Amino acid sequence: MALVLDLVRPNTGIEKYSKSIIKNFTDGAHVYFQSKYRPVSDKIKPQPHFLINTYKSGKDIAWKTFLVLPFWLMMAVYVRTIKKQNILYVPYFNHWNLFFVVLYRLMGGKVVYTVHDGKMHLGEHKKITQMEMNLNIRFANEIIVLSKHVQQEIAPALLKNKNVHIIPHGIFEIETIVPLKAASASPNLLFLGRISQYKGIEMLVESINKVSPDIYSKLTIAGKSNYPLKVPQNSGKIELLDKWLSEEEIGDLINSSDIMVFPYLEATQSGAITLAIAGCRPILCTNVGGISEQISETEAVFVKPNEQNLADGLTEIILNTTRRHNMIQALLERKQKLSWEAISSKIEDVIHLPTNELMN
């Protein structure tokens, strides 16, 4: 039915998202262009698929775009015309997507594109990349967004005459994660995820210093940073793990935590929050972007993105064990509603929709 582009660079949240979607697609229904750099266990071997020598960094994107990409564009023509895959599904942004999107539209095909961020985050903005993101949206026939907030980030002109479908982020499951069942009196706090400037880590450190050290055990900040962090290494009750984390390490960190903290300065939705839901860990987060569409006040304590409100929220969630117990039960219910089977089925429903007029 569709050619699915899965050209993601390894060790990213997007990689986990696409793996979870594709794993639950209908067997034999699609053809896959996949990055050869995915872990072997993630490649869709039982399905028709092709492994592509994609770029791994900014250093090799230029020469591979000239020497590798043209061959795979010709293969896309083969898949479209001979294999009769009339639809292109693009599950996330990649610098090579636009070539395939334009090619499919020129050949009369339909393009379904999932938008994770309508605009780039603080500290990550690049005009050329934003322009590419906008062009992908412009040329797509059907748009999937993770939340209403993401839809509102997109310029209305780009969505003119398009169907927009809100399909939320599913729950990341790691087999070793054990769902929390009780609220600890002296909890361990955990921030987990790729560390970018918009994640508010420095604000979190300043805020935890305003909280009495007697009411919690420690705060762990875990994830690879993409900018110079101004955070002391393993100082007092703060432990910093500035590194890429394996699934086993992520599971161990969640299992040893009692509360997960997300002090974002801005956000669309968060894949790391789905890990908190999977582990039924009470959540403290800033009320920014589309986070309130992802979780509710029964599952999280929401605060404004500033040091004092974050400190007050930390104190509240640590001391109120009754509220945390109720949050654990609510998170268990949320977890059951966001399975990848259900999410993938909704995406395939969009793929199967009748084709819109070609050039909007």
Side-chain angles (χ1 to χ4, degrees):
M1 177 60 70
L3 169 60
V4 179
L5 289 187
D6 187 28
L7 309 180
V8 68
R9 291 162 65 179
N11 299 316
T12 63
I14 291 295
E15 179 185 43
K16 295 182 178 67
Y17 173 87
S18 64
K19 171 187 174 182
S20 301
I21 292 294
I22 291 170
K23 181 180 178 181
N24 290 285
F25 271 171
T26 303
D27 288 345
H30 310 294
V31 174
Y32 298 88
F33 280 8
Q34 284 196 292
S35 169
K36 67 177 292 185
Y37 301 112
R38 263 193 176 283
V40 174
S41 60
D42 291 354
K43 296 184 176 71
I44 315 298
K45 290 191 174 182
Q47 309 268 12
H49 75 291
F50 301 88
L51 300 182
I52 302 179
N53 183 18
T54 54
Y55 65 89
K56 293 189 292 184
S57 67
K59 294 180 180 180
D60 66 358
I61 186 173
W63 73 267
K64 285 188 176 179
T65 298
F66 284 103
L67 298 180
V68 176
L69 179 59
F71 172 80
W72 290 104
L73 290 173
M74 289 188 290
M75 287 297 296
V77 173
Y78 166 77
V79 170
R80 167 71 178 89
T81 58
I82 306 302
K83 292 287 188 179
K84 304 298 183 183
Q85 301 296 320
N86 300 324
I87 301 166
L88 177 69
Y89 172 54
V90 185
Y92 48 79
F93 174 78
N94 179 279
H95 290 291
W96 281 1
N97 286 348
L98 186 59
F99 296 96
F100 292 95
V101 168
V102 172
L103 178 65
Y104 248 70
R105 291 304 301 271
L106 290 173
M107 292 190 295
K110 182 175 87 168
V111 176
V112 178
Y113 178 49
T114 296
V115 181
H116 292 252
D117 300 298
K119 62 181 180 181
M120 300 187 71
H121 292 297
L122 175 69
E124 298 181 350
H125 189 269
K126 297 178 181 178
K127 289 184 178 180
I128 293 178
T129 301
Q130 184 67 60
M131 181 180 69
E132 289 181 70
M133 292 167 62
N134 292 346
L135 287 172
N136 275 291
I137 297 169
R138 170 68 182 86
F139 287 114
N141 301 89
E142 303 283 341
I143 298 295
I144 296 171
V145 295
L146 303 184
S147 67
K148 187 175 181 180
H149 173 77
V150 175
Q151 181 178 351
Q152 292 171 341
E153 285 185 333
I154 302 171
L158 296 175
L159 297 177
K160 186 178 180 180
N161 299 325
K162 298 184 192 301
N163 293 319
V164 180
H165 313 267
I166 300 176
I167 302 179
H169 202 296
I171 297 297
F172 284 146
E173 291 280 10
I174 296 177
E175 291 183 0
T176 57
I177 293 178
V178 179
L180 193 64
K181 295 181 179 179
S184 169
S186 182
N188 289 317
L189 313 179
L190 173 65
F191 168 89
L192 182 69
R194 182 174 63 94
I195 300 175
S196 299
Q197 285 180 284
Y198 73 91
K199 297 291 183 72
I201 298 303
E202 285 83 2
M203 181 177 67
L204 173 58
V205 172
E206 292 298 323
S207 298
I208 199 67
N209 287 333
K210 299 176 184 289
V211 175
S212 170
D214 298 328
I215 64 174
Y216 71 98
S217 293
K218 70 174 181 177
L219 164 66
T220 301
I221 299 170
K224 181 61 180 173
S225 63
N226 63 4
Y227 73 102
L229 272 173
K230 298 177 182 178
V231 176
Q233 294 270 355
N234 302 327
S235 172
K237 287 196 167 186
I238 301 175
E239 179 183 14
L240 176 64
L241 301 175
D242 188 355
K243 56 179 286 190
W244 294 112
L245 301 167
S246 67
E247 279 202 357
E248 182 179 1
E249 290 172 316
I250 291 171
D252 290 343
L253 285 165
I254 293 173
N255 288 339
S256 63
S257 72
D258 301 286
I259 299 169
M260 293 185 67
V261 184
F262 302 95
Y264 298 160
L265 302 177
E266 60 178 65
T268 47
Q269 287 201 344
S270 168
I273 283 181
T274 71
L275 288 170
I277 298 172
C280 300
R281 261 59 185 181
I283 297 166
L284 172 72
C285 62
T286 48
N287 193 0
V288 295
I291 297 298
S292 61
E293 296 180 59
Q294 192 173 12
I295 49 174
S296 70
E297 291 184 351
T298 62
E299 301 148 352
V301 171
F302 287 98
V303 298
K304 294 179 180 179
N306 63 64
E307 291 177 14
Q308 190 57 56
N309 277 268
L310 185 55
D312 292 343
L314 286 165
T315 300
E316 155 67 15
I317 195 171
I318 290 169
L319 293 179
N320 195 337
T321 54
T322 299
R323 183 173 182 181
R324 278 194 278 135
H325 174 78
N326 293 335
M327 291 164 73
I328 291 168
Q329 304 309 310
L331 286 163
L332 180 60
E333 294 179 13
R334 170 76 67 172
K335 176 180 178 180
Q336 295 168 346
K337 295 177 181 178
L338 292 176
S339 71
W340 286 108
E341 292 88 345
I343 301 300
S344 296
S345 177
K346 290 178 181 178
I347 291 173
E348 285 197 304
D349 286 345
V350 175
I351 290 173
H352 295 155
L353 286 175
T355 306
N356 286 348
E357 290 184 10
L358 289 185
M359 287 294 182
N360 296 315

